[in-house]
Amino acid sequence: MAPRKIIIDTDPGQDDAVAILLAQASPEELEVLGICAVAGNVPLPLTQKNARIVCELAGKPETKVFSGCERPMFRKLVTAEHVHGKTGLDGPVMKDPTMPLQEQHAVDFIIETLRREPANTVTLCTLGPLTNVGTAMHVAPDIIPKIREIVMMGGAYFEVGNITPAAEFNIYVDPHAANIVFKSGAPLTVMPLDVTHKALTTPERVEAFRNLGTEPGRMVAEWTDFFERFDMDKYGSQGAPLHDPCVIAWLLKPDLFSGRKINVEIETQSELTMGMTVADWWNVMDRPENATFIRDIDADGFYALLLDRIGRL
Ligand code: RIB
Ligand code: CA
């Protein structure tokens, strides 16, 4: 079977980086048409640079990397250096990339690709704020019916927010873009904190990456050493969630996950709950079921997949 065509939209971020490695390590199942950087964890100049660093680490310098929107559609950019560090990939020392950045804007690349490829063949994997995808849909609504599936890391319901009591970071940064995406009618699979917080790192899981004895394995371990301290301090947990790789793992092994198709709407009015994903898990409102909201994961299976694939790089 031909590999599934995907576009990764991302704000690297250590967990984004692990997700990109996972995708790049799975060429039999996934064809990465392009990687689109968006402002999020750190500003755009860093996220586009980090995306290229990770592609070179994966041994894929031919990957097309695009720079996208440098700020949300309406709101001021909020970043997360407190979690990811100044560079966005703090932990190991990283060499500057030598592979080129594409001239074309990421939004134009998304629109052009969806218009060119046959309908229902391209999957959008969003790992950061939805500014690029929301803007593309706003500028060119004709692309919406062409999308096979949008698989996103974002949102939270039972797990509540991580950047405010009500909102998860990716949705909070650009709630208006998220609202466009959730209202678009495109097939949507959501990996919220409800599931990512059930796939925590442990010392054994991190050591397994280090013990691969490869550069990618060492990087994953050292990124995680840095990245996990924030969540461990905040939640008092033994480890931290690798959020974004859940998106790619869904494409590779969907049986690792379970959830249900429900209505999910985005708060864009109240500052108190701005960016909240209002998930009607118990179907009390009888609104359109617009998203498959994932709530559970086989954490051991997830880490086994990650280790196996990253061990191939
Ligand atoms: O809330 C977690 C999400 O925000 C992850 O995608 C992380 O990389 C940050 O972008
Ligand atoms: Ca991210």
Side-chain angles (χ1 to χ4, degrees):
M1 188 155 79
R4 185 164 175 170
K5 292 176 180 171
I6 67 171
I7 292 173
I8 297 175
D9 196 83
T10 178
D11 63 336
Q14 290 88 349
D15 60 321
D16 302 67
V18 179
I20 293 168
L21 289 180
L22 178 59
Q24 298 279 32
S26 309
E28 270 135 55
E29 295 102 326
L30 303 173
E31 180 187 354
V32 180
L33 299 179
I35 294 185
C36 298
V38 67
N41 285 321
V42 287
L44 184 65
L46 285 172
T47 57
Q48 59 90 341
K49 173 182 165 189
N50 292 344
R52 290 184 288 144
I53 287 174
V54 178
C55 286
E56 289 184 336
L57 175 66
K60 305 273 183 173
E62 70 283 5
T63 308
K64 290 198 170 82
V65 175
F66 301 83
S67 185
C69 298
E70 62 182 350
R71 55 171 295 258
M73 293 182 91
F74 298 102
R75 291 172 68 83
K76 242 166 55 61
L77 178 62
V78 171
T79 53
E81 286 88 348
H82 59 290
V83 179
H84 299 275
K86 214 168 36 47
T87 70
L89 287 182
D90 280 28
V93 175
M94 313 289 312
K95 289 199 300 289
D96 282 352
T98 55
M99 65 181 279
L101 177 72
Q102 300 298 310
E103 288 291 310
Q104 189 178 29
H105 192 285
V107 170
D108 295 330
F109 168 72
I110 292 168
I111 294 169
E112 181 189 277
T113 305
L114 283 166
R115 283 179 171 162
R116 181 190 69 240
E117 296 293 331
N120 201 29
T121 60
V122 177
T123 298
L124 304 182
C125 302
T126 68
L127 313 180
L130 290 162
T131 314
N132 287 342
V133 175
T135 302
M137 288 182 168
H138 177 70
V139 164
D142 60 287
I143 65 172
I144 294 172
K146 302 287 297 289
I147 299 167
R148 173 174 175 178
E149 181 180 18
I150 299 173
V151 189
M152 77 166 65
M153 191 280 139
Y157 187 63
F158 297 99
E159 189 63 16
V160 300
N162 59 359
I163 189 77
T164 74
E168 178 278 327
F169 179 79
N170 287 341
I171 308 297
Y172 177 74
V173 169
D174 198 338
H176 299 93
N179 192 39
I180 291 171
V181 174
F182 276 78
K183 288 233 162 63
S184 70
L188 201 45
T189 301
V190 182
M191 294 283 165
L193 298 180
D194 305 71
V195 65
T196 68
H197 280 194
K198 292 174 184 167
L200 300 183
T201 57
T202 64
E204 297 72 26
R205 286 169 174 167
V206 176
E207 280 321 297
F209 288 112
R210 214 183 309 274
N211 294 340
L212 284 172
T214 63
E215 191 63 354
R218 179 175 75 83
M219 288 294 171
V220 171
E222 293 185 17
W223 284 331
T224 305
D225 290 341
F226 179 88
F227 169 76
E228 65 184 7
R229 89 220 176 284
F230 176 80
D231 277 60
M232 290 167 78
D233 293 350
K234 175 176 173 182
Y235 296 105
S237 52
Q238 293 309 307
L242 281 178
H243 307 280
D244 293 336
C246 290
V247 168
I248 306 301
W250 166 261
L251 299 179
L252 297 173
K253 277 196 158 185
D255 296 349
L256 292 174
F257 300 92
S258 66
R260 64 172 73 157
K261 193 126 191 257
I262 61 171
N263 175 263
V264 180
E265 306 216 353
I266 309 297
E267 172 65 78
T268 58
Q269 306 302 314
S270 152
E271 275 307 327
L272 179 65
T273 52
M274 183 61 71
M276 179 177 179
T277 44
V278 181
D280 187 3
W281 184 263
W282 306 112
N283 193 23
V284 296
M285 296 302 288
D286 206 14
R287 289 193 288 235
E289 294 170 354
N290 59 330
T292 298
F293 199 79
I294 302 297
R295 201 174 166 196
D296 285 302
I297 184 172
D298 166 359
D300 287 336
F302 172 67
Y303 277 93
L305 173 68
L306 269 180
L307 191 66
D308 168 67
R309 294 300 165 99
I310 287 171
R312 298 183 185 182
L313 294 173

